Amino acid sequence: MAYNQKVEAFREEEYPMMTGKTYLDHAGTTIYAKSLIDKFSGEMVGNLYGNPHSASAPAQLSGIIVDSVREQALRFLGADPAHFDLVFTANATAAIKLVAESFRDLALESSTSGSFWYGYHKDAHTSLVGPREHTHGQHHCFTSDQEVEDWLFGYRPLPGRREDDETPGIFAFPGQSNMTGRRLPLSWSRKLRKSTRISHQNTYSLLDAAGLATTAQLDFSDPEAAPDFTVLSFYKIFGFPDLGALIVRRKSAHILTWRKYFGGGTVSSLTVLHEASYHRKDATIHDGLEDGTLPFHSIIALGCAIDVHRDLYGSMAKISSHTMFLTRRLYEGLSNLRHFNGRPVCEIYHDATNTHPYSDANTQGATIAFNILRPDGSYVSYSTVEQLANQKEIYHPGISSELGSAGHRCSESENTEIINGKPTGVVRASLGAMSILSDVDTFLAFMLETFVEDLDLSLSGQTVIVTAPKQHDSPIGKNPEVVRPVIVNGPGNWPIRKLLPINTELKQDPRDRPLRRDEVYDLHHTSTGSNDSAIVMSTEGKYWDDINQGGGYETWPPKWERRHSNEKDSANPKSDSRPTEQKGKKPEKTLSRAKSFWGLNKVVKGRSKG
């Protein structure tokens, strides 16, 4: 792991759209560089491009560029054009669909059951689960890596799949979990191809590399070990263009010729009257599979993206090392967050068998999935976390798990985020090539500020009893500046989650000491995510705060919690004399300091209005 300092140097210039924002959704799509847009713009205004299916000079120029970028993309991905071909698609999902439809049509022609077998890993993205609907029930979900290994070595037969079954099949798995970022073994394709079992001989491997390719170098150096079909989305690597690809191992390409559908550009001849016939193009693999006019402008942009990406980052290996360094930092920061009672703030999901998580790019990508816990162990819904983060211009998605299954769907909320006390989704933070230290540190600061409860709050009606953590307790009377406890009357029914002490002179957050008199406190409300200022005053054992509706509010702490006890108090315990300010009036000096610190124009019903 090594942090790439060069990214710090060009981040502001190359990614001005990220200034002042914290973007943590690179698993969804990464961000495009300014140089990429400039280079693409120059290509578009400096050349005349036509439809590559035509014969004009502009069309021929487009065709030449498309062929050049196709080979450029293969080499960027580490695939030798002599052994692999690249089919341009709209995205990874479209590439998966193309493979599934080919197997469906093959099975209709050659299989006695009229269907094919489909096996997929439980970490598969929704799009990789979809092909099972073409199988008429002949599918199986592998629930663990070990089950896959047992199947490949013949230790465990699969339900509904005989060992001598020659039905064509697909074994599909992701290179990286879309939810947790866990990276799966890439050796399965070789093991499947080398197996001598009859049911394995006609089963082909399909790798979803969309997540893996974002921060890792794909390896097609050994065609015998490579998947038969690999799908990916280029926008997850470069941010732009919106384009996908199907990488086809040439020795396995014959399967795709069974697809019945054809579109413009994929046939060389066609009759529509009398006897309906057509002749599909077969000079190359991609000729017969790229339906309609290619998105040639996007393909031109892809060539620009590859050039700029290499100029900025050098190699995918450097990106992998850089993002793993940041991911480890984020993991350690989240792991160390603790509430006042010592309980963890985050429940992080990773491979339980990995004793050193987030330290090896072979087993973990630049993604962390977690849920947030309150001090009592209950969960904060992932959509609440996302909403509060959005207010701070921190962008990361909530991922909702499909109930009762192994797949996942993205960013859907149906009021089922917490069921029977258990979360149905996760918070996901993912890093990319242009992520820097401040992105990680800003998110950790947000987590500390918003979700770490460093004071023990016990709700009683609308009153919050605030006590300093035990490690900060001081014997009453020994330190006259310590106020413990402070009784705060919360406005309305808002649940006040914590008080953050703010030093009004230094504008710092001194968390490592007890509550004190004559200070401004920041009240964070869980339900709204908003903050209010509270001024805590102390005179002769009485406490005053400025958050009660309508102005000042006084309350006496219980006798055993008074800081001072004297004859006057004993003789007249209900005395409400205030020696330093007139009864019922706000302490102007302290309130003025609060207004100055917060930049307030007025205080309305205890709510701070800027």
Side-chain angles (χ1 to χ4, degrees):
M1 295 183 290
Y3 184 67
N4 188 354
Q5 292 285 353
K6 293 181 179 179
V7 181
E8 296 266 4
F10 63 67
R11 163 73 174 256
E12 185 174 355
E13 180 179 353
E14 286 290 346
Y15 302 94
M17 69 290 288
M18 299 179 72
T19 301
K21 302 175 178 65
T22 303
Y23 185 80
L24 298 173
D25 190 20
H26 294 271
T29 182
T30 197
I31 308 300
Y32 48 84
K34 181 178 181 294
S35 294
L36 164 56
I37 303 303
D38 292 342
K39 185 177 179 66
F40 175 54
S41 177
E43 289 289 336
M44 294 303 295
V45 300
N47 297 281
L48 180 61
Y49 295 107
N51 189 320
H53 288 166
S54 301
S56 65
Q60 291 179 358
L61 176 60
S62 295
I64 292 172
I65 295 295
V66 167
D67 290 341
S68 174
V69 173
R70 191 188 308 275
E71 181 174 343
Q72 183 184 13
L74 280 169
R75 297 196 181 280
F76 173 82
L77 297 169
D80 186 346
H83 299 288
F84 299 91
D85 197 0
L86 185 149
V87 180
F88 286 114
T89 61
N91 45 42
T93 297
I96 293 170
K97 185 179 179 184
L98 192 156
V99 174
E101 289 177 346
S102 298
F103 272 81
R104 177 199 60 191
D105 294 345
L106 166 64
L108 289 174
E109 293 290 334
S110 62
S111 173
T112 56
S113 65
S115 180
F116 66 97
W117 177 83
Y118 189 70
Y120 58 97
H121 194 279
K122 73 177 182 68
D123 282 345
H125 186 273
T126 304
S127 298
L128 204 59
V129 178
R132 73 182 183 190
E133 300 306 308
H134 284 315
T135 66
H136 305 300
Q138 296 186 51
H139 56 79
H140 177 75
C141 176
F142 291 90
T143 59
S144 68
D145 293 359
Q146 189 58 53
E147 186 183 6
V148 174
E149 295 285 347
D150 291 346
W151 168 66
L152 290 172
F153 285 104
Y155 300 149
R156 179 184 301 177
L158 298 180
R161 179 74 165 168
R162 302 190 317 273
E163 288 299 307
D164 60 349
D165 191 349
E166 296 182 348
T167 301
I170 302 175
F171 168 56
F173 64 100
Q176 177 177 306
S177 168
N178 188 59
M179 186 176 79
T180 66
R182 184 179 78 90
R183 288 179 173 169
L184 284 69
L186 299 179
S187 59
W188 289 340
S189 296
R190 174 193 286 273
K191 292 177 179 178
L192 177 61
R193 187 171 296 120
K194 295 298 182 182
S195 174
T196 58
R197 296 183 176 276
I198 296 176
S199 61
H200 292 171
Q201 290 294 299
N202 211 24
T203 300
Y204 294 76
S205 55
L206 170 59
L207 171 66
D208 176 4
L212 178 64
T214 303
T215 59
Q217 176 64 61
L218 300 185
D219 183 11
F220 295 93
S221 58
D222 183 0
E224 295 305 312
D228 296 298
F229 311 105
T230 302
V231 303
L232 55 89
S233 295
F234 287 115
Y235 59 84
K236 293 197 175 188
I237 305 174
F238 309 116
F240 177 80
D242 301 336
L243 196 64
L246 169 64
I247 312 299
V248 182
R249 181 173 173 268
R250 291 188 180 276
K251 288 185 177 181
S252 308
H254 60 280
I255 291 291
L256 303 181
T257 63
W258 286 89
R259 192 177 69 125
K260 292 183 178 297
Y261 178 82
F262 60 86
T266 62
V267 294
S268 56
S269 63
L270 170 70
T271 62
V272 294
L273 298 175
H274 307 298
E275 182 181 353
S277 64
Y278 69 93
H279 186 270
R280 189 183 295 273
K281 290 181 179 179
D282 57 7
T284 65
I285 297 169
H286 60 262
D287 277 342
L289 297 173
E290 293 173 339
D291 300 317
T293 299
L294 281 170
F296 56 96
H297 293 135
S298 294
I299 294 173
I300 293 169
L302 175 60
C304 298
I306 295 173
D307 290 339
V308 170
H309 192 267
R310 185 166 284 132
D311 290 343
L312 290 177
Y313 300 105
S315 68
M316 292 302 298
K318 289 183 179 179
I319 291 174
S320 178
S321 180
H322 174 74
T323 53
M324 183 50 61
F325 175 90
L326 292 173
T327 305
R328 180 69 186 180
R329 182 185 182 94
L330 178 58
Y331 168 71
E332 290 177 346
L334 293 174
S335 299
N336 290 331
L337 293 177
R338 290 290 187 274
H339 290 298
F340 65 89
N341 57 6
R343 289 187 175 183
V345 176
C346 298
E347 183 176 277
I348 302 175
Y349 305 105
H350 58 80
D351 185 1
T353 63
N354 189 347
T355 57
H356 300 286
Y358 303 96
S359 59
D360 184 0
N362 291 317
T363 59
Q364 179 64 45
T367 298
I368 297 181
F370 61 97
N371 269 304
I372 296 176
L373 298 163
R374 300 184 181 91
D376 62 0
S378 62
Y379 291 92
V380 179
S381 70
Y382 62 86
S383 67
T384 297
V385 180
E386 188 172 9
Q387 291 168 8
L388 294 177
N390 278 336
Q391 295 174 12
K392 300 291 186 180
E393 295 190 305
I394 298 174
Y395 307 115
H396 62 82
I399 304 295
S400 175
S401 302
E402 295 283 6
L403 300 179
S405 74
H408 308 95
R409 66 174 181 264
C410 301
S411 296
E412 291 188 14
S413 177
E414 299 176 353
N415 299 319
T416 58
E417 296 166 4
I418 306 292
I419 296 181
N420 295 327
K422 298 295 183 180
T424 61
V426 300
V427 178
R428 185 184 72 182
S430 54
L431 300 159
M434 66 291 305
S435 297
I436 55 178
L437 285 170
S438 62
D439 294 325
V440 173
D441 294 345
T442 297
F443 184 64
L444 290 175
F446 161 74
M447 290 290 297
L448 181 68
E449 178 79 10
T450 310
F451 299 107
V452 177
E453 299 194 16
D454 46 13
L455 298 176
D456 185 7
L457 305 185
S458 303
L459 291 175
S460 176
Q462 295 183 23
T463 300
V464 180
I465 310 299
V466 184
T467 59
K470 290 183 178 180
Q471 62 266 32
H472 297 320
D473 283 355
S474 298
I476 295 176
K478 290 185 179 181
N479 185 353
E481 293 301 312
V482 174
V483 176
R484 184 176 57 87
V486 176
I487 300 179
V488 179
N489 190 305
N493 289 317
W494 292 351
I496 299 175
R497 197 176 53 74
K498 66 179 178 180
L499 293 177
L500 301 180
I502 306 294
N503 185 303
T504 57
E505 298 295 336
L506 301 178
K507 297 187 178 182
Q508 294 177 346
D509 180 4
R511 293 170 178 270
D512 58 346
R513 60 173 175 74
L515 301 173
R516 296 180 183 273
R517 294 182 302 171
D518 199 26
E519 281 194 338
V520 176
Y521 288 80
D522 177 21
L523 278 67
H524 185 89
H525 302 283
T526 304
S527 59
T528 64
S530 62
N531 294 323
D532 290 296
S533 61
I535 304 170
V536 178
M537 294 294 294
S538 170
T539 58
E540 296 296 323
K542 288 183 295 185
Y543 304 82
W544 185 92
D545 66 83
D546 188 45
I547 67 166
N548 187 49
Q549 295 184 12
Y553 172 81
E554 291 184 41
T555 181
W556 282 84
K559 290 183 179 180
W560 59 85
E561 291 177 334
R562 295 183 186 177
R563 289 193 304 109
H564 300 288
S565 177
N566 51 44
E567 295 180 359
K568 181 178 180 180
D569 287 337
S570 300
N572 186 12
K574 295 185 179 181
S575 172
D576 57 358
S577 62
R578 182 176 295 162
T580 57
E581 64 261 7
Q582 187 176 349
K583 181 171 58 179
K585 291 188 177 181
K586 301 176 182 179
E588 296 296 337
K589 181 178 179 181
T590 305
L591 184 56
S592 175
R593 289 166 59 190
K595 288 182 178 180
S596 175
F597 178 77
W598 292 103
L600 305 178
N601 295 324
K602 58 182 178 179
V603 177
V604 181
K605 292 186 178 180
R607 296 297 306 275
S608 302
K609 304 293 182 181

